[in-house]
Amino acid sequence: MQFRDLKKQYQVLKQDMDAALTDTAASAAFIMGKPVKELEAELAAYVGVKHCVSCANGTDALTLALKTWGIGKGDAVFVPDFTFFSSAEVVSLEGATPVFVDVDKDTFNLDAADLEEKIGETVAKGELTPKVIITVDLFGLPADYPRIRKIADTYRLLILEDGAQGFGGEISGKKACGFGDISTTSFFPAKPLGCYGDGGAVFTDNDEWAALLDSYRVHGKGQFKYDNVRIGMNSRLDTLQAAVLKIKLKAFREYEVADINRAAARYTEKLQGKVKTPVVPEGYYSSWAQYTIRLDSKEQRDALQAVLKEQGIPTMVYYPTPMHDQTAYKNLKVPVGSCPVAEQLCHTVLSLPIHPYISEEDIDSVCEGILTFIAKK
Ligand SMILES: *Cc1c(COP(=O)(O)O)cnc(C)c1O
């Protein structure tokens, strides 16, 4: 059994995919070829925002946003304590300081109450200027934007939506990657919408920021490529990846998101009441980058993972370490116990195999493995 079956997906899309790959090779327009602009237009339309600027990966997408806003030394950026390292790494790379915020135990996303507390503490200390909230749509579920937007307005902060895992999610019909003042996503192969290597994109409704993003991604270009008006990056999306994504986006919107939601519903139906199943709040829609259950303790989680592994069932621990506990962030000296939920989740979460092509038989055998383990407890 595969954790995320990308080979199966290729087999389904093979005919169109092979044609797209060879067409790109034959065109020799490897950098900024026609499919790049076409994909950007399709992605912007899908999300429902004015501008999409593609780039080399999801980490660069976040960096491009921070550069566009001029975030740097002395600035505080609020980041969930339970996420992939990138979400905070980009902040430090720009010379700003990440302030870690606890998450909600049910949705795994930024806890709005703790966010307000951490903003208050930062203001009271007076060492850093609060500037940005990086929200993460973890495991495919949009963050609590109704509450976070109110807090951002109150404290005059910008929202940078890290939608690397969230592409395809929704709140009341509004699509993820449209909730931030700037939003980003990643096309790393295992993300909800993945390419055949690295890729990313930035979304915004703001014309001025879109122009800056476009400049920063190509060496801070001005009027033309050899007119350089600011220090930028080399962060373009390959034509080949854009061609791949155009085909994958079609499958994604036509059936993949619906199919993965059917798979998640089947898991929940079978596991509910036996282990803690993921919570999707009323009006929310997830694109299920992960299907993540919670166990009672680290011992139980680790034992279950070992038992499933023996049965040939791959599972993953996303994430084993809270951000504030990462070796790279020891220098921040975050007080012990400042993000208790994130710590608890790192000990108890387990992500199960899920993808749009998973069979009902596979889901059932994963569930059987879990239910047998729980019954023996
Ligand atoms: C994957 C991921 C990123 C980074 O994306 P890359 O394309 O790998 O650079 C950033 N944030 C989150 C939450 C992610 O899951």
Side-chain angles (χ1 to χ4, degrees):
M1 196 185 303
Q2 299 281 315
F3 187 71
R4 197 163 188 102
D5 199 342
L6 298 172
K7 289 182 185 164
K8 179 83 195 288
Q9 185 193 44
Y10 171 65
Q11 288 310 323
V12 173
L13 304 175
K14 187 174 186 328
Q15 206 176 352
D16 289 346
M17 201 57 92
D18 289 354
L21 293 171
T22 50
D23 283 356
T24 308
S27 80
F30 299 117
I31 303 291
M32 292 302 204
K34 209 165 125 234
V36 176
K37 278 278 162 260
E38 290 170 356
L39 176 74
E40 288 177 342
E42 286 174 28
L43 289 170
Y46 175 82
V47 170
V49 296
K50 206 164 160 194
H51 305 281
C52 169
V53 177
S54 63
C55 63
N57 56 69
T59 307
D60 280 5
L62 292 166
T63 295
L64 287 165
L66 295 176
K67 284 191 185 298
T68 292
W69 287 338
I71 302 305
K73 200 166 182 310
D75 294 335
V77 177
F78 300 88
V79 182
D81 197 39
F82 187 63
T83 180
F84 181 60
F85 193 64
S86 275
S87 311
E89 182 182 29
V90 293
V91 174
S92 307
L93 212 51
E94 294 310 296
T97 304
V99 175
F100 297 116
V101 179
D102 211 359
V103 295
D104 179 86
K105 69 173 180 9
D106 291 322
T107 63
F108 308 123
N109 278 331
L110 206 59
D111 178 333
D114 194 55
L115 171 64
E116 200 150 17
E117 198 153 303
K118 295 282 168 27
I119 294 169
E121 283 172 14
T122 306
V123 171
K125 257 197 197 162
E127 289 166 4
L128 300 167
T129 312
K131 287 279 179 71
V132 177
I133 303 161
I134 296 186
T135 53
V136 177
D137 303 335
L138 203 75
F139 303 155
L141 184 73
D144 184 359
Y145 291 102
R147 288 181 70 192
I148 294 170
R149 178 53 74 186
K150 277 198 198 120
I151 294 170
D153 289 347
T154 303
Y155 296 91
R156 295 172 179 276
L157 304 177
L158 292 161
I159 295 180
L160 173 51
E161 175 184 8
D162 179 353
Q165 301 181 18
F167 195 81
E170 294 177 16
I171 306 175
S172 309
K174 185 175 159 63
K175 287 245 170 14
C177 295
F179 294 110
D181 296 294
I182 296 181
S183 304
T184 65
T185 197
S186 162
F187 304 125
F188 182 83
K191 307 281 166 149
L193 179 64
C195 61
Y196 285 174
D198 281 308
V202 191
F203 300 87
T204 187
D205 278 324
N206 184 302
D207 299 340
E208 201 182 313
W209 292 340
L212 283 170
L213 290 163
D214 184 44
S215 167
Y216 276 116
R217 87 170 149 178
V218 187
H219 307 289
K221 75 176 158 113
Q223 294 303 313
F224 65 102
K225 196 173 158 185
Y226 301 111
D227 172 35
N228 306 92
V229 298
R230 53 183 67 85
I231 303 299
M233 301 168 72
N234 173 14
S235 188
R236 293 166 299 224
L237 181 73
D238 289 342
T239 306
L240 208 58
Q241 301 302 350
V244 166
L245 283 164
K246 275 171 54 94
I247 290 163
K248 289 235 211 167
L249 178 61
K250 188 162 177 288
F252 186 82
R253 56 198 307 174
E254 281 179 3
Y255 58 88
E256 283 190 352
V257 188
D259 286 353
I260 204 164
N261 269 277
R262 258 193 294 280
R266 192 172 181 93
Y267 267 130
T268 299
E269 187 194 312
K270 297 195 172 259
L271 297 176
Q272 215 160 28
K274 309 291 185 193
V275 295
K276 293 191 194 76
T277 50
V279 174
V280 178
E282 181 78 31
Y284 281 61
Y285 188 70
S286 177
S287 57
W288 299 103
Q290 304 297 338
Y291 186 92
T292 303
I293 60 169
R294 282 176 289 153
L295 285 304
D296 292 336
S297 65
K298 184 172 190 311
E299 293 68 35
Q300 193 192 28
R301 190 268 312 272
D302 293 348
L304 173 61
Q305 184 171 38
V307 163
L308 293 175
K309 191 177 174 197
E310 271 169 31
Q311 299 171 20
I313 297 169
T315 60
M316 302 292 280
V317 173
Y318 296 126
Y319 292 93
T321 310
M323 295 297 267
H324 76 269
D325 244 358
Q326 290 284 3
T327 307
Y329 281 126
K330 290 287 187 222
N331 64 322
L332 290 179
K333 299 197 167 56
V334 175
V336 180
S338 72
C339 296
V341 176
E343 280 183 29
Q344 176 70 12
L345 290 175
C346 289
H347 289 150
T348 53
V349 289
L350 190 66
S351 298
L352 307 179
I354 195 165
H355 54 87
Y357 303 90
I358 194 169
S359 67
E360 292 189 345
E361 292 71 31
D362 277 356
I363 294 172
D364 293 353
S365 74
V366 176
C367 293
E368 208 177 289
I370 294 169
L371 296 175
T372 309
F373 173 87
I374 296 293
K376 276 197 199 137
K377 189 176 62 161

